[in-house]
Amino acid sequence: MVNLNIFFSFFENAALLLALVYLYSLFPSHQRQSHLFAWQFSMGVLIGIFGVIIMMNPFAFQEGLLFDTRSVLLCLSGLFFGFIPTIIASACMALYRYNLGGSGALVGILMLFCSGFMGAIWRHYRKDHLDQISKRAFYLFGVVVHLVLLSSLLLLPLNQAIDSLLQVSLPILIIFPLLTMVIGHLLAKIVFRERDMQVKLQEDFLFKNQFDIGNIGISITSKAKYWLKVNPYLCQMFGYTESELKARTWVELTYPDDLNKDLLLYDKMVKGDIDEYEMDKRFVAKDGSIIYTHITITCRRNVENNGFLVIAGFLDITKQKKAEQALLQSKEQLDLVLDSSELGVWDWDVDSQAMKINRYSADILCCSVAELNQTPKIWVDAIHPQDKFRFLRSIIDVRRGRCTSQRIEYQLINLMGETRWILQTGKVVDIDDRGRPLRVCGTLSDITDIKQVEESLNVAASVYQNSSEAMSVFTSDGTIVDSNPAFSLITGFHRDEIQGQNLRVFQSELQPKRFYDQLDKQLNQLGRWQGEVWMRRKNGENYLILLTINSISQTKTQSARYVALFSDITEKKQTEELIWRQANYDALTGLPNRRMLLEFLTKEVLHSDRQHNHFALMFLDLDYFKEINDTLGHDMGDILLLETAERLKSSVRETDVVARLGGDEFTIVLTNLDDNHGVERVASQILKRLAEPYILGQQTAYISGSIGITLFPDDATTTEALLKNADQAMYSAKTHGRNRFNYFTPAMQNDAQKRMLLVQELKNAILQQQFELYYQPIVELGSEDIVKVEALIRWNHPTMGFVSPADFIPIAEETGMIIEIGNWVFSQAVAQSAKWKQRFNVDIQISINKSPIQFRDDTTDVSDWLSQMAEQHVDAKNICIEITEGLLLEKEQNVEAKLLAYREAGLEVSLDDFGTGYSSLSYLRKFNIDYLKIDKSFVNNLTPDSNDLSLCEAIIVMAHKLGMKVIAEGIETEQQRNLLEFAGCDYGQGYLFSHALCSEEFENKYMQQYVAPMRLNELVSG
């Protein structure tokens, strides 16, 4: 029967073995390697001590026969710790067993060394793979060791051995192999745990090092194709941040043409058909560029939880791919150029006499490529007889090594009988060991056209040198390159003197400087010019030439050239001009005469009729001129006529015409009229100038004039009718008292009377305060807030109703009444600003239009306006002065002084109707304009693709660059508003937001929103 005490005793031994394993796990692994012998000795002693302890609790089957687990301890010691520790431990336990004595002492000692030896033997074969021993192997090892140990009991007396085997064999074979398996597995884990951890740390360190700072892109991807982790290099490669890449699948970034192939291989890997693959693949970067990569894909599977991760390495081969593509494209282009260009290419194998010639060479000879390559001799046979010897000699020189290159021109008679000039070049590209040529390559060019041009140039050079016309060649910057003898004859400069000089040496003071700018502009645009020019000879004499300039095409090696041809026409021109002036100008005054006037009127009628323009014809007769002639004489009369001519010319524009018909009769033609008010101003100015005194020798004379005015096409459409109408209107003016002007038609007379009536009514309106200010909001486009308004004057006449400002403002400016009206508008605006501040506690800037007449007026001082604002406690920023572009061009010091005074006082200045006048950017900077108002003519037709939008955008960018804000007038649609806001416009004004409102309507619509907050603040502060 099996004694159960055996099992309990062996289990106690097992506990001691486990304690040994625990102590071993506490022993630092780095000390084992650094103090190997001390560790082996210490380990042997420790195992020996535990073995002795185990042997102190044996199962005593008979006196002298002791059984315990020391065999398990020693066989595993030999397996894991090696020969030295095991020998030391075996020796310790053998001494102890020897001291215990008994009949089984020797057998017990033998079993000690035998179990340790068997473990050491197995270690010899499995030393490098101890961590890979399975539990089953440990178990079988325990069975074998203890079978051997049990067989050693046969060394005892037979009866004792049999009894011992019957008692202990079963417990030993049951417990000891299991114990060997458990203890061995634990030791394997402990011994190799730190090594595995170190390997894992090394692998992690290497992976992280390569992942973060490597020069390849690395990603970890899920089965769903999402990037779980990407390294910085991959982010840099694709232009995305890490978070952006993680939010996308690699499918989204794959170039479409490469997706199917990648998905096919990926699906195979998911199914388990393959574990890795690599391919060249394109991706689309964030900026849209194509990234070429070579990717290596491998997967890691976890069978237990069906996990699947994909690790990919991305090598950027974009530069390599583009270089390959460029090389391929370059080769294709070279092949295409050689096949399609006008250049023959030949390749001659000297030894075999084989020749390869391209298509263009065959085209020159008018044969096929195959025929020419098979029989190169037909090319030599086609060479002109007088050039053939020279050609063959150049070939022989190359073949015999006398020279390494060839360049020869010769004539070739092709198979169609045409003679062509050929330029042939060649070079030796391969030689043998003795320096003899093996291969020669070269080109063929058809230079027939060049030869013809050379011949033409020779003829042209002969004409150039012998021509009676002056010729010169100069560069685009005016530097003279060459000239012919006729040029030197006319200018007085020798060829060597002016070569390399600039054309400025010929400039005459009689020629306006702006002419040369116009000449350069036309030459750059058209490449040619013809006309008359004043020049100066070497001796300083001025002369007139008829000049023709043509450009010579610019080449890669030579800048643009110009050829000038001219002749001296000074005398001819002087004669023609004298005859023409005598026929067309008045001999006394130098004004155009009747003949020239009629010619001018005929042209003006045709031109104005086509352009739908208006012009006015004035017929002027001097009052009391006959008395001057009779009393002072005709000489004084002529002086008076000369002075009158000067006064008339100074009263009109340069584009207008003043003519003398004869005697004391003059005519004035005012062209390009917009309205009739300008005619009246000129007529009034003429009458005023004529009324000024004339100093005639020792006498002072006074005269006046009577003017008749007729309009085209209102009154007549022919020259004769216009002259007749003007003459009749002039006599009507004389009839009505002289020193006046009269219109031809009754309708025009009615207008004049109406205007006079309006002047009177305007005076009454000022006295009776018939004006009223209306306010149109100016909206901040970004916030929709109303921060500005424009004050607009309205005239509510008692009988005529509302009179348009367009009707009365010009009259007010002409009569000077605009000064009183402007002062009234300013006072009203300041009072309104103070009222809004008091009632609503809000600052809204009011823009006031100020006429140029007000700036010129000396009676109104800037300090008057500023004192009014101070009395009303109105901040300077609440008033904005609106001026027109023309005011900036005023040269009067009073205008500039007032503008700068307003700026210094803190009032802002707005430039109205910007873009319709003649603004100068220097004046914008000089006067520090705060706002530019885009004229509504640009806004009316504003569409996304219109030129007006481009102009608006340009104005806005320019204004912002100069530190100004922009207001757009006349906004009537949402599209106009949106386009302007998108273009960066700051403010908008127009019917889309609101019409001009009286103060009460404006307050009800826009100001009431401030009442409740203001009252709430008052209650809180109270």
Side-chain angles (χ1 to χ4, degrees), residues 802-846:
F802 279 99
V803 181
S804 172
D807 293 332
F808 70 86
I809 292 297
I811 294 175
E813 289 182 331
E814 291 174 12
T815 59
M817 287 185 282
I818 192 67
I819 296 171
E820 294 181 75
I821 295 174
N823 291 334
W824 178 86
V825 169
F826 179 82
S827 299
Q828 292 295 312
V830 171
Q832 187 66 67
S833 178
K835 177 183 175 183
W836 285 342
K837 180 66 176 179
Q838 182 180 4
R839 291 186 59 189
F840 306 104
N841 193 29
V842 64
D843 292 321
I844 293 183
Q845 188 183 70
I846 301 177

Short mmCIF file of all heavy atoms in Angstrom, two decimals, residues 802-846:
data_model
loop_
_atom_site.label_atom_id
_atom_site.label_comp_id
_atom_site.label_asym_id
_atom_site.label_seq_id
_atom_site.Cartn_x
_atom_site.Cartn_y
_atom_site.Cartn_z
N PHE A 802 -40.61 121.12 -54.89
CA PHE A 802 -39.20 120.80 -54.69
C PHE A 802 -38.42 121.07 -55.98
O PHE A 802 -38.75 120.52 -57.04
CB PHE A 802 -39.03 119.34 -54.28
CG PHE A 802 -39.29 119.10 -52.82
CD1 PHE A 802 -40.52 118.61 -52.40
CD2 PHE A 802 -38.32 119.39 -51.88
CE1 PHE A 802 -40.76 118.39 -51.05
CE2 PHE A 802 -38.55 119.18 -50.53
CZ PHE A 802 -39.79 118.69 -50.10
N VAL A 803 -37.41 121.92 -55.86
CA VAL A 803 -36.52 122.23 -56.98
C VAL A 803 -35.25 121.38 -56.83
O VAL A 803 -34.64 121.36 -55.76
CB VAL A 803 -36.16 123.72 -57.01
CG1 VAL A 803 -35.27 124.03 -58.20
CG2 VAL A 803 -37.43 124.57 -57.05
N SER A 804 -34.88 120.68 -57.90
CA SER A 804 -33.73 119.78 -57.85
C SER A 804 -32.44 120.55 -57.58
O SER A 804 -32.22 121.62 -58.16
CB SER A 804 -33.60 119.01 -59.16
OG SER A 804 -32.41 118.27 -59.19
N PRO A 805 -31.57 120.03 -56.71
CA PRO A 805 -30.26 120.68 -56.51
C PRO A 805 -29.46 120.82 -57.80
O PRO A 805 -28.66 121.74 -57.93
CB PRO A 805 -29.56 119.74 -55.52
CG PRO A 805 -30.67 119.03 -54.82
CD PRO A 805 -31.77 118.88 -55.83
N ALA A 806 -29.69 119.89 -58.75
CA ALA A 806 -28.97 119.98 -60.01
C ALA A 806 -29.34 121.24 -60.78
O ALA A 806 -28.57 121.71 -61.63
CB ALA A 806 -29.26 118.75 -60.87
N ASP A 807 -30.51 121.80 -60.50
CA ASP A 807 -30.95 123.01 -61.19
C ASP A 807 -30.45 124.27 -60.51
O ASP A 807 -30.07 125.24 -61.17
CB ASP A 807 -32.48 123.04 -61.26
CG ASP A 807 -33.04 121.95 -62.15
OD1 ASP A 807 -32.32 121.52 -63.08
OD2 ASP A 807 -34.17 121.50 -61.92
N PHE A 808 -30.47 124.32 -59.17
CA PHE A 808 -30.13 125.58 -58.52
C PHE A 808 -28.71 125.67 -57.97
O PHE A 808 -28.20 126.78 -57.77
CB PHE A 808 -31.15 125.91 -57.41
CG PHE A 808 -31.08 125.02 -56.20
CD1 PHE A 808 -30.19 125.30 -55.16
CD2 PHE A 808 -31.90 123.92 -56.07
CE1 PHE A 808 -30.15 124.50 -54.03
CE2 PHE A 808 -31.85 123.12 -54.95
CZ PHE A 808 -30.96 123.40 -53.93
N ILE A 809 -28.06 124.54 -57.71
CA ILE A 809 -26.69 124.60 -57.18
C ILE A 809 -25.72 125.24 -58.19
O ILE A 809 -24.92 126.11 -57.82
CB ILE A 809 -26.20 123.20 -56.76
CG1 ILE A 809 -26.97 122.71 -55.53
CG2 ILE A 809 -24.71 123.22 -56.46
CD1 ILE A 809 -26.77 123.55 -54.30
N PRO A 810 -25.75 124.87 -59.50
CA PRO A 810 -24.84 125.55 -60.44
C PRO A 810 -25.07 127.06 -60.50
O PRO A 810 -24.12 127.83 -60.60
CB PRO A 810 -25.16 124.88 -61.79
CG PRO A 810 -25.69 123.54 -61.42
CD PRO A 810 -26.46 123.76 -60.16
N ILE A 811 -26.35 127.47 -60.44
CA ILE A 811 -26.65 128.90 -60.46
C ILE A 811 -26.11 129.56 -59.20
O ILE A 811 -25.55 130.66 -59.23
CB ILE A 811 -28.17 129.12 -60.60
CG1 ILE A 811 -28.64 128.61 -61.96
CG2 ILE A 811 -28.52 130.58 -60.41
CD1 ILE A 811 -30.14 128.68 -62.16
N ALA A 812 -26.28 128.87 -58.08
CA ALA A 812 -25.77 129.42 -56.83
C ALA A 812 -24.25 129.57 -56.87
O ALA A 812 -23.70 130.54 -56.34
CB ALA A 812 -26.18 128.51 -55.67
N GLU A 813 -23.57 128.64 -57.53
CA GLU A 813 -22.11 128.74 -57.63
C GLU A 813 -21.70 129.88 -58.56
O GLU A 813 -20.75 130.61 -58.28
CB GLU A 813 -21.54 127.41 -58.12
CG GLU A 813 -21.62 126.29 -57.09
CD GLU A 813 -21.00 124.99 -57.59
OE1 GLU A 813 -21.03 124.78 -58.82
OE2 GLU A 813 -20.49 124.21 -56.76
N GLU A 814 -22.43 130.02 -59.68
CA GLU A 814 -22.08 131.08 -60.62
C GLU A 814 -22.32 132.46 -60.03
O GLU A 814 -21.56 133.40 -60.27
CB GLU A 814 -22.90 130.92 -61.90
CG GLU A 814 -22.53 129.70 -62.72
CD GLU A 814 -23.46 129.49 -63.91
OE1 GLU A 814 -24.23 130.43 -64.20
OE2 GLU A 814 -23.41 128.42 -64.51
N THR A 815 -23.37 132.61 -59.26
CA THR A 815 -23.73 133.92 -58.70
C THR A 815 -23.07 134.19 -57.36
O THR A 815 -23.18 135.28 -56.82
CB THR A 815 -25.25 134.01 -58.54
OG1 THR A 815 -25.70 132.95 -57.67
CG2 THR A 815 -25.94 133.88 -59.89
N GLY A 816 -22.42 133.21 -56.78
CA GLY A 816 -21.78 133.39 -55.49
C GLY A 816 -22.69 133.13 -54.31
O GLY A 816 -22.27 133.20 -53.15
N MET A 817 -23.97 132.83 -54.56
CA MET A 817 -24.91 132.58 -53.47
C MET A 817 -24.61 131.26 -52.75
O MET A 817 -25.13 131.00 -51.67
CB MET A 817 -26.35 132.58 -54.00
CG MET A 817 -26.87 133.96 -54.35
SD MET A 817 -28.62 133.96 -54.84
CE MET A 817 -28.50 133.35 -56.51
N ILE A 818 -23.76 130.44 -53.35
CA ILE A 818 -23.42 129.16 -52.73
C ILE A 818 -22.72 129.36 -51.40
O ILE A 818 -22.77 128.50 -50.52
CB ILE A 818 -22.53 128.33 -53.70
CG1 ILE A 818 -22.40 126.89 -53.20
CG2 ILE A 818 -21.16 128.97 -53.84
CD1 ILE A 818 -23.68 126.12 -53.25
N ILE A 819 -22.09 130.54 -51.21
CA ILE A 819 -21.37 130.80 -49.95
C ILE A 819 -22.36 130.90 -48.80
O ILE A 819 -22.20 130.29 -47.74
CB ILE A 819 -20.53 132.07 -50.08
CG1 ILE A 819 -19.44 131.87 -51.16
CG2 ILE A 819 -19.90 132.44 -48.75
CD1 ILE A 819 -18.70 133.12 -51.52
N GLU A 820 -23.44 131.68 -49.02
CA GLU A 820 -24.46 131.80 -47.97
C GLU A 820 -25.16 130.47 -47.72
O GLU A 820 -25.42 130.09 -46.58
CB GLU A 820 -25.48 132.87 -48.36
CG GLU A 820 -24.92 134.27 -48.41
CD GLU A 820 -25.99 135.27 -48.79
OE1 GLU A 820 -26.84 135.58 -47.92
OE2 GLU A 820 -25.99 135.71 -49.96
N ILE A 821 -25.46 129.77 -48.83
CA ILE A 821 -26.14 128.47 -48.69
C ILE A 821 -25.25 127.48 -47.95
O ILE A 821 -25.71 126.74 -47.07
CB ILE A 821 -26.54 127.93 -50.08
CG1 ILE A 821 -27.57 128.84 -50.73
CG2 ILE A 821 -27.07 126.50 -49.98
CD1 ILE A 821 -27.92 128.47 -52.16
N GLY A 822 -23.95 127.48 -48.28
CA GLY A 822 -23.02 126.55 -47.64
C GLY A 822 -22.89 126.83 -46.15
O GLY A 822 -22.83 125.89 -45.33
N ASN A 823 -22.83 128.09 -45.76
CA ASN A 823 -22.76 128.43 -44.33
C ASN A 823 -24.02 127.98 -43.59
O ASN A 823 -23.96 127.50 -42.46
CB ASN A 823 -22.55 129.93 -44.15
CG ASN A 823 -21.16 130.36 -44.60
OD1 ASN A 823 -20.22 129.56 -44.58
ND2 ASN A 823 -21.03 131.61 -45.01
N TRP A 824 -25.18 128.15 -44.25
CA TRP A 824 -26.44 127.72 -43.63
C TRP A 824 -26.46 126.19 -43.45
O TRP A 824 -26.86 125.68 -42.40
CB TRP A 824 -27.62 128.15 -44.51
CG TRP A 824 -28.95 127.70 -43.97
CD1 TRP A 824 -29.73 128.32 -43.05
CD2 TRP A 824 -29.63 126.48 -44.32
NE1 TRP A 824 -30.87 127.60 -42.79
CE2 TRP A 824 -30.83 126.45 -43.55
CE3 TRP A 824 -29.36 125.43 -45.18
CZ2 TRP A 824 -31.74 125.40 -43.64
CZ3 TRP A 824 -30.28 124.39 -45.26
CH2 TRP A 824 -31.45 124.39 -44.51
N VAL A 825 -25.98 125.45 -44.47
CA VAL A 825 -25.95 123.99 -44.38
C VAL A 825 -25.05 123.55 -43.23
O VAL A 825 -25.39 122.65 -42.45
CB VAL A 825 -25.45 123.38 -45.71
CG1 VAL A 825 -25.15 121.89 -45.55
CG2 VAL A 825 -26.48 123.59 -46.81
N PHE A 826 -23.88 124.19 -43.09
CA PHE A 826 -22.98 123.81 -42.00
C PHE A 826 -23.62 124.05 -40.64
O PHE A 826 -23.55 123.20 -39.75
CB PHE A 826 -21.67 124.60 -42.12
CG PHE A 826 -20.69 124.29 -41.03
CD1 PHE A 826 -19.87 123.17 -41.10
CD2 PHE A 826 -20.60 125.11 -39.91
CE1 PHE A 826 -18.99 122.88 -40.10
CE2 PHE A 826 -19.71 124.81 -38.90
CZ PHE A 826 -18.90 123.70 -38.99
N SER A 827 -24.26 125.22 -40.48
CA SER A 827 -24.89 125.53 -39.19
C SER A 827 -25.97 124.51 -38.86
O SER A 827 -26.09 124.04 -37.71
CB SER A 827 -25.48 126.95 -39.22
OG SER A 827 -24.48 127.90 -39.46
N GLN A 828 -26.79 124.16 -39.85
CA GLN A 828 -27.86 123.19 -39.63
C GLN A 828 -27.29 121.82 -39.26
O GLN A 828 -27.82 121.14 -38.37
CB GLN A 828 -28.73 123.08 -40.90
CG GLN A 828 -29.55 124.31 -41.21
CD GLN A 828 -30.59 124.59 -40.14
OE1 GLN A 828 -31.32 123.69 -39.72
NE2 GLN A 828 -30.64 125.83 -39.67
N ALA A 829 -26.22 121.41 -39.93
CA ALA A 829 -25.64 120.09 -39.65
C ALA A 829 -25.04 120.04 -38.25
O ALA A 829 -25.19 119.04 -37.53
CB ALA A 829 -24.57 119.76 -40.69
N VAL A 830 -24.35 121.10 -37.83
CA VAL A 830 -23.78 121.15 -36.48
C VAL A 830 -24.87 121.10 -35.43
O VAL A 830 -24.79 120.38 -34.43
CB VAL A 830 -22.90 122.40 -36.33
CG1 VAL A 830 -22.48 122.58 -34.88
CG2 VAL A 830 -21.67 122.30 -37.22
N ALA A 831 -25.94 121.87 -35.66
CA ALA A 831 -27.05 121.87 -34.71
C ALA A 831 -27.70 120.49 -34.64
O ALA A 831 -28.08 120.02 -33.56
CB ALA A 831 -28.08 122.93 -35.12
N GLN A 832 -27.84 119.82 -35.80
CA GLN A 832 -28.46 118.49 -35.81
C GLN A 832 -27.58 117.48 -35.08
O GLN A 832 -28.08 116.62 -34.34
CB GLN A 832 -28.67 118.02 -37.26
CG GLN A 832 -29.47 116.72 -37.39
CD GLN A 832 -30.89 116.88 -36.92
OE1 GLN A 832 -31.68 117.59 -37.52
NE2 GLN A 832 -31.24 116.24 -35.83
N SER A 833 -26.26 117.57 -35.26
CA SER A 833 -25.35 116.66 -34.57
C SER A 833 -25.45 116.85 -33.06
O SER A 833 -25.48 115.87 -32.29
CB SER A 833 -23.92 116.90 -35.05
OG SER A 833 -23.02 116.06 -34.38
N ALA A 834 -25.50 118.12 -32.61
CA ALA A 834 -25.63 118.39 -31.18
C ALA A 834 -26.96 117.86 -30.63
O ALA A 834 -27.03 117.31 -29.52
CB ALA A 834 -25.51 119.90 -30.93
N LYS A 835 -28.02 118.01 -31.43
CA LYS A 835 -29.35 117.53 -31.01
C LYS A 835 -29.33 116.02 -30.84
O LYS A 835 -29.85 115.49 -29.86
CB LYS A 835 -30.39 117.96 -32.05
CG LYS A 835 -31.80 117.46 -31.76
CD LYS A 835 -32.74 117.89 -32.89
CE LYS A 835 -34.13 117.32 -32.68
NZ LYS A 835 -35.03 117.68 -33.81
N TRP A 836 -28.76 115.28 -31.79
CA TRP A 836 -28.72 113.82 -31.70
C TRP A 836 -27.88 113.37 -30.51
O TRP A 836 -28.18 112.37 -29.86
CB TRP A 836 -28.17 113.23 -33.00
CG TRP A 836 -29.17 113.27 -34.12
CD1 TRP A 836 -30.52 113.43 -34.02
CD2 TRP A 836 -28.88 113.14 -35.51
NE1 TRP A 836 -31.11 113.42 -35.25
CE2 TRP A 836 -30.12 113.24 -36.21
CE3 TRP A 836 -27.73 112.97 -36.26
CZ2 TRP A 836 -30.23 113.16 -37.59
CZ3 TRP A 836 -27.83 112.88 -37.63
CH2 TRP A 836 -29.06 112.98 -38.30
N LYS A 837 -26.79 114.09 -30.26
CA LYS A 837 -25.96 113.74 -29.12
C LYS A 837 -26.72 113.93 -27.81
O LYS A 837 -26.64 113.11 -26.90
CB LYS A 837 -24.69 114.61 -29.14
CG LYS A 837 -23.74 114.35 -27.99
CD LYS A 837 -23.13 112.97 -28.06
CE LYS A 837 -22.10 112.75 -26.98
NZ LYS A 837 -21.52 111.40 -27.03
N GLN A 838 -27.50 115.02 -27.74
CA GLN A 838 -28.23 115.32 -26.50
C GLN A 838 -29.40 114.37 -26.31
O GLN A 838 -29.64 113.86 -25.20
CB GLN A 838 -28.72 116.77 -26.54
CG GLN A 838 -29.47 117.21 -25.28
CD GLN A 838 -29.94 118.65 -25.39
OE1 GLN A 838 -29.77 119.29 -26.42
NE2 GLN A 838 -30.51 119.16 -24.32
N ARG A 839 -30.16 114.10 -27.39
CA ARG A 839 -31.38 113.29 -27.26
C ARG A 839 -31.10 111.80 -27.22
O ARG A 839 -31.77 111.06 -26.52
CB ARG A 839 -32.33 113.59 -28.43
CG ARG A 839 -32.94 114.99 -28.38
CD ARG A 839 -33.99 115.14 -29.46
NE ARG A 839 -35.05 114.14 -29.32
CZ ARG A 839 -36.02 113.93 -30.23
NH1 ARG A 839 -36.03 114.64 -31.35
NH2 ARG A 839 -36.92 113.01 -30.03
N PHE A 840 -30.09 111.36 -27.98
CA PHE A 840 -29.90 109.92 -28.12
C PHE A 840 -28.52 109.46 -27.65
O PHE A 840 -28.23 108.25 -27.68
CB PHE A 840 -30.08 109.50 -29.60
CG PHE A 840 -31.40 109.94 -30.19
CD1 PHE A 840 -31.43 111.02 -31.06
CD2 PHE A 840 -32.57 109.29 -29.86
CE1 PHE A 840 -32.63 111.42 -31.63
CE2 PHE A 840 -33.76 109.69 -30.42
CZ PHE A 840 -33.82 110.77 -31.31
N ASN A 841 -27.66 110.40 -27.25
CA ASN A 841 -26.33 110.05 -26.77
C ASN A 841 -25.57 109.17 -27.78
O ASN A 841 -25.00 108.15 -27.45
CB ASN A 841 -26.41 109.33 -25.41
CG ASN A 841 -25.03 109.25 -24.75
OD1 ASN A 841 -24.17 110.12 -24.97
ND2 ASN A 841 -24.81 108.23 -23.95
N VAL A 842 -25.61 109.56 -29.03
CA VAL A 842 -24.96 108.79 -30.08
C VAL A 842 -24.21 109.77 -30.99
O VAL A 842 -24.68 110.89 -31.24
CB VAL A 842 -25.99 107.97 -30.89
CG1 VAL A 842 -26.96 108.86 -31.61
CG2 VAL A 842 -25.27 107.07 -31.89
N ASP A 843 -23.02 109.37 -31.43
CA ASP A 843 -22.20 110.18 -32.34
C ASP A 843 -22.33 109.62 -33.74
O ASP A 843 -21.86 108.52 -34.03
CB ASP A 843 -20.74 110.16 -31.90
CG ASP A 843 -20.53 110.89 -30.60
OD1 ASP A 843 -21.18 111.94 -30.39
OD2 ASP A 843 -19.71 110.43 -29.79
N ILE A 844 -22.98 110.37 -34.62
CA ILE A 844 -23.09 109.99 -36.03
C ILE A 844 -22.44 111.09 -36.85
O ILE A 844 -22.81 112.26 -36.74
CB ILE A 844 -24.56 109.79 -36.45
CG1 ILE A 844 -25.16 108.57 -35.72
CG2 ILE A 844 -24.66 109.61 -37.96
CD1 ILE A 844 -26.57 108.26 -36.12
N GLN A 845 -21.46 110.72 -37.64
CA GLN A 845 -20.75 111.71 -38.44
C GLN A 845 -21.62 112.18 -39.60
O GLN A 845 -22.21 111.38 -40.31
CB GLN A 845 -19.45 111.10 -38.99
CG GLN A 845 -18.56 112.12 -39.67
CD GLN A 845 -17.32 111.48 -40.26
OE1 GLN A 845 -17.43 110.75 -41.24
NE2 GLN A 845 -16.17 111.73 -39.64
N ILE A 846 -21.70 113.51 -39.78
CA ILE A 846 -22.50 114.11 -40.84
C ILE A 846 -21.53 114.65 -41.90
O ILE A 846 -20.65 115.45 -41.61
CB ILE A 846 -23.40 115.24 -40.31
CG1 ILE A 846 -24.34 114.70 -39.23
CG2 ILE A 846 -24.18 115.88 -41.44
CD1 ILE A 846 -25.22 115.75 -38.60
#
